[in-house]
Amino acid sequence: MTEQGATGTQVTGAQSLIKSLESAGAENIFGIPGGAILPAYDPLYDSKIRHILVRHEQGAGHAAQGYAAATGKVGVCMATSGPGATNLVTPLADAHMDSVPLVAVTGQVGASMIGTDAFQEADIRGITMPITKHNFLVTDPAEIPRTIAEAFYLASTGRPGPVLVDVAKSALQAMTTFTWPTEINLPGYRPVTRPHVKQIREATRLILESRRPVLYVGGGVIRARASRELRVLAEMTGIPVVTTLMARGAFPDSHAQHLGMPGMHGTVAAVAGLQKSDLIISLGARFDDRVTGNLDSFAPGAKVIHADIDPAEIGKNRIVDVPIVGDCREVIADLIVALQAEQDAGTAGDYEGWVKFLSGVKQRYPLGYDTPEDGGLAPQYVLERLGAIAGPESVYCAGVGQHQMWATHYVGFEHPNTWINSGGLGTMGFAVPAAMGAKVGRPDATVWAIDGDGCFQMTNQELATCTIEGIPIKVAIINNESLGMVRQWQTLFYGGRYSNTDLQSKRVPDFVKLADAYGAVGLACESAADVDATINKAMEIDDVPVVVDFRVHRDAMVWPMVAAGTSNDDIKYARDLAPEFEEDDL
């Protein structure tokens, strides 16, 4: 084999692909070999890149997401053609919705066979076009280095996202010359990172004129690594802060100005803050339906400053008064400079009454839960104790459903990149492979996968990968024997007709035995008195994965809640209980 890293040397297309991935900075690849991608696996055998053999391509994609979200680097996954590639569709769509930098490399049938319905052929480029930031089909081996360079650049710049590179087997087998490009030339792709000074000036004016402003913080602040700047802006102005599901950890939960998460299962204070505001300062958020509820009644008295790296998001769902296209870190930095200049000149916003009102709402309607009357284990208590014992330095990856909402409320997040979950797509089965990827990216951190018994059964086969590859994640299964969030809706909106939501997971499978079969340590807990000791025992095990089956009360629900499609004004903080605000409170 030709020496790795040489330039202008004759190599196979497969060698060129691996050299290109090395040159792009890939350190880990999650994947499974197969016929069309097999030529690439031969030079990979000698590469400095660590390949992690997953048990399902979906696991490879979610692991690459977890790696990217935990580190800020581009995650890489690899699969063969046909079913290998189509198994990446879900993580690609997930990464697209949540702006995760990802490069997926797939094998394709030989160039002469494309379009003939050859064995394991699928038009993965056509299939994934709506769910990738960009994708490529490579049939000429000479194009491999440039394509990989462009893929990594596209995935990691502007609004991050997934990029697919589909490489024909014939291109991998042909001879070519490897030359790594010295510059990227993508006509038409010029993401704007610096905000326009006029828009910053206008935003500053609105901020100073408002009396009830809110900083509405989205995942873009995490992706832009702008948490420090956000805190400076919040503290210098005193403006209350809400953080979306994708932005948890961007602003400390313990901070007095933090109102919590807004939206369908948001805190009463966060929902009230947006609904009754006169100015929403949106930073890297997209006015998602889970935040706004019925758009017609969302924050009816608020003007909107909307800052986002993606111009397509601005004004998409809500009319905007001041649009700002730019990287959140630079936008916030410029706002700080402008507002500081105004303060130095003696001009500052007056939000005292507003802050007092929201502080009162926060005190009157705190998060809380009932202890089950039958002595059962409250899932909220489990997650509250997990957050307290594992601490805010740990990384938490969640699946989707009730356990996800309880985790975002009760774990407690103080730092960015410590909360990783599937937000926009809502993908069950995300947690275990995402935690695996996060642990690969941050091997010194404690990484917990918080999963439901339904989610866990979709991707738990990656425990085999974790055991064999030495990736000691910890898994907390919030086992209520149900597809919990669906069951909650059936309770509230379908008269308790529990159609096909009973998983019987406390009987089949036995999660402790399953963990043991995978070479992990299996633990079980069904008493509040045993929760701390069980978590502490899991924390002491660092050499193999740990799975804890928390057998919780089945009827626990996620509150607060705004029913889908209704107004945020109709929020309930417990069943049949709605908050009341006096008009003179403002």
Side-chain angles (χ1 to χ4, degrees), residues 144-327:
I144 290 173
R146 177 187 57 79
T147 303
I148 293 296
E150 290 177 359
F152 274 75
Y153 179 72
L154 286 165
S156 59
T157 57
R159 180 179 183 171
V163 178
L164 176 96
V165 180
D166 195 33
V167 188
K169 187 173 185 178
S170 54
L172 294 174
Q173 293 173 318
M175 296 304 294
T176 185
T177 301
F178 172 77
T179 303
W180 186 246
T182 56
E183 61 180 7
I184 301 292
N185 182 26
L186 291 170
Y189 179 72
R190 296 183 183 86
V192 175
T193 58
R194 287 304 308 270
H196 196 288
V197 64
K198 180 182 176 183
Q199 302 306 90
I200 293 293
R201 189 163 55 240
E202 186 62 16
T204 302
R205 182 184 67 80
L206 284 187
I207 291 169
L208 295 173
E209 288 179 355
S210 68
R211 291 296 174 264
R212 303 193 302 277
V214 172
L215 288 164
Y216 163 40
V217 177
V221 170
I222 300 273
R223 298 288 181 255
R225 304 179 191 183
S227 298
R228 187 176 301 173
E229 289 79 4
L230 171 65
R231 184 162 185 169
V232 171
L233 176 64
E235 290 181 344
M236 75 177 288
T237 60
I239 296 173
V241 179
V242 301
T243 53
T244 68
L245 181 66
M246 293 306 299
R248 307 291 287 117
F251 194 74
D253 278 359
S254 60
H255 200 287
Q257 287 171 242
H258 194 213
L259 303 178
M261 183 181 78
M264 174 179 277
H265 291 295
T267 66
V268 174
V271 172
L274 289 175
Q275 284 299 98
K276 297 187 177 297
S277 65
D278 66 2
L279 177 66
I280 293 174
I281 305 154
S282 176
L283 302 169
R286 58 187 179 87
F287 291 87
D288 174 69
D289 63 286
R290 284 304 192 257
V291 169
T292 66
N294 186 325
L295 265 172
D296 293 338
S297 61
F298 174 69
K303 291 184 177 180
V304 173
I305 299 166
H306 192 175
D308 203 287
I309 191 76
D310 185 356
E313 288 294 348
I314 297 177
K316 184 177 78 174
N317 293 327
R318 171 71 181 239
I319 293 174
V320 175
D321 296 276
V322 180
I324 305 176
V325 178
D327 177 83

Side-chain angles (χ1 to χ4, degrees), residues 31-32 53-57 59-60 461-465 468-469 518:
I32 301 181
L53 177 62
V54 296
R55 296 306 183 265
H56 192 287
E57 291 89 355
Q461 69 272 11
E462 298 309 335
L463 285 173
T465 307
I468 292 168
E469 292 283 345
Y518 275 127

